mmCIF file of all heavy atoms in Angstrom:
data_model
loop_
_atom_site.group_PDB
_atom_site.id
_atom_site.type_symbol
_atom_site.label_atom_id
_atom_site.label_comp_id
_atom_site.label_asym_id
_atom_site.label_seq_id
_atom_site.Cartn_x
_atom_site.Cartn_y
_atom_site.Cartn_z
ATOM 1 N N VAL A 116 15.312 -14.796 3.216
ATOM 2 C CA VAL A 116 14.342 -13.768 3.353
ATOM 3 C C VAL A 116 14.513 -13.097 1.998
ATOM 4 O O VAL A 116 13.496 -12.518 1.314
ATOM 5 C CB VAL A 116 14.612 -12.937 4.517
ATOM 6 C CG1 VAL A 116 13.720 -11.569 4.423
ATOM 7 C CG2 VAL A 116 14.223 -13.629 5.737
ATOM 8 N N THR A 117 15.766 -12.780 1.477
ATOM 9 C CA THR A 117 15.955 -12.132 0.297
ATOM 10 C C THR A 117 15.444 -12.803 -0.847
ATOM 11 O O THR A 117 14.716 -12.272 -1.841
ATOM 12 C CB THR A 117 17.485 -11.905 0.005
ATOM 13 O OG1 THR A 117 18.114 -11.202 1.185
ATOM 14 C CG2 THR A 117 17.731 -11.120 -1.250
ATOM 15 N N PHE A 118 15.537 -14.177 -0.898
ATOM 16 C CA PHE A 118 14.872 -14.925 -1.944
ATOM 17 C C PHE A 118 13.461 -14.763 -1.968
ATOM 18 O O PHE A 118 12.766 -14.595 -3.060
ATOM 19 C CB PHE A 118 15.354 -16.433 -1.761
ATOM 20 C CG PHE A 118 14.684 -17.446 -2.673
ATOM 21 C CD1 PHE A 118 15.116 -17.466 -4.076
ATOM 22 C CD2 PHE A 118 13.780 -18.344 -2.294
ATOM 23 C CE1 PHE A 118 14.593 -18.222 -5.017
ATOM 24 C CE2 PHE A 118 13.193 -19.172 -3.247
ATOM 25 C CZ PHE A 118 13.642 -19.084 -4.529
ATOM 26 N N ILE A 119 12.785 -14.961 -0.718
ATOM 27 C CA ILE A 119 11.238 -14.787 -0.747
ATOM 28 C C ILE A 119 10.849 -13.393 -1.153
ATOM 29 O O ILE A 119 9.918 -13.199 -1.902
ATOM 30 C CB ILE A 119 10.816 -15.073 0.634
ATOM 31 C CG1 ILE A 119 11.078 -16.520 1.092
ATOM 32 C CG2 ILE A 119 9.286 -14.777 0.842
ATOM 33 C CD1 ILE A 119 10.419 -17.647 0.153
ATOM 34 N N PHE A 120 11.665 -12.412 -0.685
ATOM 35 C CA PHE A 120 11.353 -11.034 -1.104
ATOM 36 C C PHE A 120 11.467 -10.785 -2.562
ATOM 37 O O PHE A 120 10.577 -10.183 -3.233
ATOM 38 C CB PHE A 120 12.291 -9.982 -0.401
ATOM 39 C CG PHE A 120 12.091 -8.619 -0.698
ATOM 40 C CD1 PHE A 120 10.995 -7.988 -0.171
ATOM 41 C CD2 PHE A 120 12.927 -7.825 -1.475
ATOM 42 C CE1 PHE A 120 10.713 -6.557 -0.377
ATOM 43 C CE2 PHE A 120 12.696 -6.584 -1.773
ATOM 44 C CZ PHE A 120 11.619 -5.998 -1.172
ATOM 45 N N THR A 121 12.386 -11.505 -3.151
ATOM 46 C CA THR A 121 12.616 -11.383 -4.603
ATOM 47 C C THR A 121 11.428 -12.045 -5.420
ATOM 48 O O THR A 121 11.031 -11.432 -6.338
ATOM 49 C CB THR A 121 13.943 -12.002 -5.120
ATOM 50 O OG1 THR A 121 14.965 -11.473 -4.357
ATOM 51 C CG2 THR A 121 14.135 -11.917 -6.569
ATOM 52 N N LEU A 122 10.938 -13.204 -4.887
ATOM 53 C CA LEU A 122 9.719 -13.759 -5.459
ATOM 54 C C LEU A 122 8.517 -12.821 -5.395
ATOM 55 O O LEU A 122 7.736 -12.777 -6.242
ATOM 56 C CB LEU A 122 9.425 -15.076 -4.728
ATOM 57 C CG LEU A 122 10.408 -16.279 -4.926
ATOM 58 C CD1 LEU A 122 10.008 -17.442 -4.156
ATOM 59 C CD2 LEU A 122 10.466 -16.543 -6.429
ATOM 60 N N LEU A 123 8.393 -12.144 -4.071
ATOM 61 C CA LEU A 123 7.263 -11.309 -3.999
ATOM 62 C C LEU A 123 7.313 -10.134 -4.946
ATOM 63 O O LEU A 123 6.258 -9.722 -5.439
ATOM 64 C CB LEU A 123 7.148 -10.842 -2.528
ATOM 65 C CG LEU A 123 6.829 -11.833 -1.471
ATOM 66 C CD1 LEU A 123 6.916 -11.313 -0.126
ATOM 67 C CD2 LEU A 123 5.510 -12.558 -1.668
ATOM 68 N N ILE A 124 8.440 -9.530 -5.074
ATOM 69 C CA ILE A 124 8.729 -8.483 -6.028
ATOM 70 C C ILE A 124 8.336 -8.886 -7.463
ATOM 71 O O ILE A 124 7.815 -8.197 -8.221
ATOM 72 C CB ILE A 124 10.125 -7.876 -5.932
ATOM 73 C CG1 ILE A 124 10.393 -7.158 -4.617
ATOM 74 C CG2 ILE A 124 10.451 -6.955 -7.163
ATOM 75 C CD1 ILE A 124 9.448 -6.025 -4.354
ATOM 76 N N GLY A 125 8.750 -10.113 -7.768
ATOM 77 C CA GLY A 125 8.376 -10.677 -9.130
ATOM 78 C C GLY A 125 6.842 -10.784 -9.233
ATOM 79 O O GLY A 125 6.428 -10.517 -10.308
ATOM 80 N N ARG A 126 6.200 -11.183 -8.187
ATOM 81 C CA ARG A 126 4.746 -11.287 -8.331
ATOM 82 C C ARG A 126 4.085 -9.854 -8.445
ATOM 83 O O ARG A 126 3.184 -9.702 -9.286
ATOM 84 C CB ARG A 126 4.193 -11.998 -7.095
ATOM 85 C CG ARG A 126 4.411 -13.495 -6.937
ATOM 86 C CD ARG A 126 3.801 -14.149 -5.793
ATOM 87 N NE ARG A 126 2.239 -13.853 -5.887
ATOM 88 C CZ ARG A 126 1.564 -14.705 -6.462
ATOM 89 N NH1 ARG A 126 1.932 -15.820 -7.143
ATOM 90 N NH2 ARG A 126 0.157 -14.540 -6.550
ATOM 91 N N VAL A 127 4.687 -8.916 -7.823
ATOM 92 C CA VAL A 127 4.183 -7.572 -7.972
ATOM 93 C C VAL A 127 4.412 -7.070 -9.384
ATOM 94 O O VAL A 127 3.633 -6.475 -10.022
ATOM 95 C CB VAL A 127 4.905 -6.606 -6.956
ATOM 96 C CG1 VAL A 127 4.492 -5.279 -7.180
ATOM 97 C CG2 VAL A 127 4.421 -7.026 -5.529
ATOM 98 N N GLN A 128 5.555 -7.367 -9.924
ATOM 99 C CA GLN A 128 6.031 -6.896 -11.189
ATOM 100 C C GLN A 128 5.159 -7.682 -12.324
ATOM 101 O O GLN A 128 5.010 -7.151 -13.338
ATOM 102 C CB GLN A 128 7.559 -7.212 -11.564
ATOM 103 C CG GLN A 128 8.289 -6.282 -10.688
ATOM 104 C CD GLN A 128 9.848 -6.544 -10.910
ATOM 105 O OE1 GLN A 128 10.211 -7.660 -11.366
ATOM 106 N NE2 GLN A 128 10.711 -5.785 -10.447
ATOM 107 N N ARG A 129 4.669 -8.837 -11.924
ATOM 108 C CA ARG A 129 3.820 -9.611 -12.894
ATOM 109 C C ARG A 129 2.351 -9.180 -12.824
ATOM 110 O O ARG A 129 1.486 -9.856 -13.510
ATOM 111 C CB ARG A 129 3.988 -11.100 -12.657
ATOM 112 C CG ARG A 129 5.344 -11.679 -13.122
ATOM 113 C CD ARG A 129 5.229 -13.088 -13.208
ATOM 114 N NE ARG A 129 4.937 -13.729 -11.881
ATOM 115 C CZ ARG A 129 5.929 -14.143 -11.022
ATOM 116 N NH1 ARG A 129 7.196 -13.925 -11.406
ATOM 117 N NH2 ARG A 129 5.661 -14.723 -9.881
ATOM 118 N N ARG A 130 2.037 -8.202 -12.046
ATOM 119 C CA ARG A 130 0.709 -7.658 -12.007
ATOM 120 C C ARG A 130 0.406 -6.745 -13.155
ATOM 121 O O ARG A 130 0.346 -5.640 -13.139
ATOM 122 C CB ARG A 130 0.343 -6.950 -10.718
ATOM 123 C CG ARG A 130 0.451 -7.892 -9.469
ATOM 124 C CD ARG A 130 0.228 -7.023 -8.064
ATOM 125 N NE ARG A 130 -1.148 -6.552 -8.188
ATOM 126 C CZ ARG A 130 -2.161 -7.276 -7.733
ATOM 127 N NH1 ARG A 130 -2.015 -8.453 -7.273
ATOM 128 N NH2 ARG A 130 -3.321 -6.737 -7.700
ATOM 129 N N GLN A 131 0.256 -7.470 -14.316
ATOM 130 C CA GLN A 131 0.048 -6.814 -15.525
ATOM 131 C C GLN A 131 -0.707 -7.745 -16.463
ATOM 132 O O GLN A 131 -0.946 -8.792 -16.156
ATOM 133 C CB GLN A 131 1.323 -6.402 -16.224
ATOM 134 C CG GLN A 131 2.320 -7.559 -16.510
ATOM 135 C CD GLN A 131 3.724 -7.098 -17.039
ATOM 136 O OE1 GLN A 131 3.763 -6.153 -17.729
ATOM 137 N NE2 GLN A 131 4.731 -7.660 -16.541
ATOM 138 N N PRO A 132 -1.329 -7.127 -17.537
ATOM 139 C CA PRO A 132 -2.031 -8.110 -18.584
ATOM 140 C C PRO A 132 -1.230 -9.264 -18.998
ATOM 141 O O PRO A 132 -0.139 -9.104 -19.276
ATOM 142 C CB PRO A 132 -2.403 -7.113 -19.618
ATOM 143 C CG PRO A 132 -2.260 -5.741 -19.032
ATOM 144 C CD PRO A 132 -1.211 -5.886 -18.183
ATOM 145 N N ASN A 133 -1.917 -10.359 -19.034
ATOM 146 C CA ASN A 133 -1.278 -11.655 -19.471
ATOM 147 C C ASN A 133 -2.167 -12.349 -20.476
ATOM 148 O O ASN A 133 -3.148 -12.959 -19.989
ATOM 149 C CB ASN A 133 -0.805 -12.481 -18.259
ATOM 150 C CG ASN A 133 -0.111 -13.690 -18.731
ATOM 151 O OD1 ASN A 133 0.215 -13.825 -19.954
ATOM 152 N ND2 ASN A 133 -0.018 -14.782 -17.895
ATOM 153 N N LEU A 134 -2.028 -12.071 -21.732
ATOM 154 C CA LEU A 134 -2.983 -12.753 -22.699
ATOM 155 C C LEU A 134 -2.456 -14.108 -23.131
ATOM 156 O O LEU A 134 -1.207 -14.218 -23.570
ATOM 157 C CB LEU A 134 -3.182 -11.708 -23.905
ATOM 158 C CG LEU A 134 -3.653 -10.478 -23.738
ATOM 159 C CD1 LEU A 134 -3.808 -9.684 -24.952
ATOM 160 C CD2 LEU A 134 -4.882 -10.414 -22.851
ATOM 161 N N VAL A 135 -3.320 -15.023 -22.978
ATOM 162 C CA VAL A 135 -3.044 -16.402 -23.449
ATOM 163 C C VAL A 135 -3.933 -16.819 -24.517
ATOM 164 O O VAL A 135 -5.090 -16.666 -24.412
ATOM 165 C CB VAL A 135 -3.077 -17.398 -22.255
ATOM 166 C CG1 VAL A 135 -2.810 -18.794 -22.645
ATOM 167 C CG2 VAL A 135 -2.296 -16.947 -21.054
ATOM 168 N N TRP A 136 -3.411 -17.472 -25.637
ATOM 169 C CA TRP A 136 -4.215 -17.882 -26.691
ATOM 170 C C TRP A 136 -4.007 -19.394 -26.880
ATOM 171 O O TRP A 136 -2.876 -19.799 -27.001
ATOM 172 C CB TRP A 136 -4.053 -17.020 -27.944
ATOM 173 C CG TRP A 136 -2.525 -16.889 -28.455
ATOM 174 C CD1 TRP A 136 -1.956 -17.550 -29.426
ATOM 175 C CD2 TRP A 136 -1.684 -15.836 -28.026
ATOM 176 N NE1 TRP A 136 -0.696 -17.153 -29.509
ATOM 177 C CE2 TRP A 136 -0.506 -16.106 -28.872
ATOM 178 C CE3 TRP A 136 -1.731 -14.837 -27.109
ATOM 179 C CZ2 TRP A 136 0.602 -15.359 -28.534
ATOM 180 C CZ3 TRP A 136 -0.557 -14.037 -26.954
ATOM 181 C CH2 TRP A 136 0.530 -14.210 -27.674
ATOM 182 N N ARG A 137 -5.102 -20.066 -26.916
ATOM 183 C CA ARG A 137 -5.077 -21.534 -27.071
ATOM 184 C C ARG A 137 -5.855 -21.972 -28.386
ATOM 185 O O ARG A 137 -6.805 -21.489 -28.632
ATOM 186 C CB ARG A 137 -5.869 -22.079 -25.887
ATOM 187 C CG ARG A 137 -5.947 -23.592 -25.792
ATOM 188 C CD ARG A 137 -6.719 -24.201 -24.701
ATOM 189 N NE ARG A 137 -6.143 -23.726 -23.450
ATOM 190 C CZ ARG A 137 -6.694 -22.867 -22.576
ATOM 191 N NH1 ARG A 137 -7.850 -22.262 -22.917
ATOM 192 N NH2 ARG A 137 -6.124 -22.434 -21.396
ATOM 193 N N LYS A 138 -5.113 -22.794 -29.094
ATOM 194 C CA LYS A 138 -5.636 -23.346 -30.411
ATOM 195 C C LYS A 138 -6.398 -24.682 -30.052
ATOM 196 O O LYS A 138 -5.872 -25.471 -29.452
ATOM 197 C CB LYS A 138 -4.567 -23.482 -31.384
ATOM 198 C CG LYS A 138 -5.104 -23.993 -32.724
ATOM 199 C CD LYS A 138 -3.972 -24.144 -33.727
ATOM 200 C CE LYS A 138 -4.541 -24.743 -35.116
ATOM 201 N NZ LYS A 138 -3.458 -25.047 -35.989
ATOM 202 N N PHE A 139 -7.584 -24.848 -30.617
ATOM 203 C CA PHE A 139 -8.343 -25.994 -30.406
ATOM 204 C C PHE A 139 -8.079 -26.909 -31.532
ATOM 205 O O PHE A 139 -7.477 -26.440 -32.669
ATOM 206 C CB PHE A 139 -9.990 -25.785 -30.405
ATOM 207 C CG PHE A 139 -10.234 -24.948 -29.067
ATOM 208 C CD1 PHE A 139 -10.595 -23.760 -29.012
ATOM 209 C CD2 PHE A 139 -10.413 -25.799 -27.836
ATOM 210 C CE1 PHE A 139 -10.885 -23.018 -27.902
ATOM 211 C CE2 PHE A 139 -10.641 -25.084 -26.772
ATOM 212 C CZ PHE A 139 -10.963 -23.723 -26.670
ATOM 213 N N PRO A 140 -8.282 -28.193 -31.424
ATOM 214 C CA PRO A 140 -7.967 -29.097 -32.493
ATOM 215 C C PRO A 140 -8.636 -28.707 -33.776
ATOM 216 O O PRO A 140 -9.732 -28.261 -33.818
ATOM 217 C CB PRO A 140 -8.555 -30.438 -32.005
ATOM 218 C CG PRO A 140 -8.469 -30.341 -30.483
ATOM 219 C CD PRO A 140 -8.842 -28.902 -30.235
ATOM 220 N N GLU A 141 -7.937 -28.928 -34.861
ATOM 221 C CA GLU A 141 -8.367 -28.441 -36.206
ATOM 222 C C GLU A 141 -9.351 -29.485 -36.794
ATOM 223 O O GLU A 141 -9.219 -30.777 -36.540
ATOM 224 C CB GLU A 141 -7.150 -28.309 -37.113
ATOM 225 C CG GLU A 141 -7.464 -27.795 -38.534
ATOM 226 C CD GLU A 141 -6.289 -27.729 -39.381
ATOM 227 O OE1 GLU A 141 -5.091 -27.885 -38.769
ATOM 228 O OE2 GLU A 141 -6.475 -27.307 -40.511
ATOM 229 N N LEU A 142 -10.470 -28.933 -37.437
ATOM 230 C CA LEU A 142 -11.371 -29.788 -38.167
ATOM 231 C C LEU A 142 -11.120 -29.675 -39.642
ATOM 232 O O LEU A 142 -11.164 -28.727 -40.280
ATOM 233 C CB LEU A 142 -12.871 -29.314 -37.882
ATOM 234 C CG LEU A 142 -13.248 -29.440 -36.486
ATOM 235 C CD1 LEU A 142 -14.642 -28.802 -36.233
ATOM 236 C CD2 LEU A 142 -13.214 -30.797 -35.833
#
């Protein structure tokens, strides 16, 4: 239960902006 609770807390803490940038193949 502690392990699951820690995961849930982690998900709550990750409720923040998450910017991902992807580079496409170069021409």
Side-chain angles (χ1 to χ4, degrees):
V116 171
T117 302
F118 177 71
I119 297 299
F120 181 74
T121 303
L122 290 181
L123 293 176
I124 291 296
R126 287 184 61 87
V127 171
Q128 291 175 340
R129 287 195 296 271
R130 294 182 65 87
Q131 55 186 322
N133 183 12
L134 300 187
V135 178
W136 51 98
R137 179 182 301 110
K138 181 183 178 182
F139 292 104
E141 183 178 357
L142 299 176

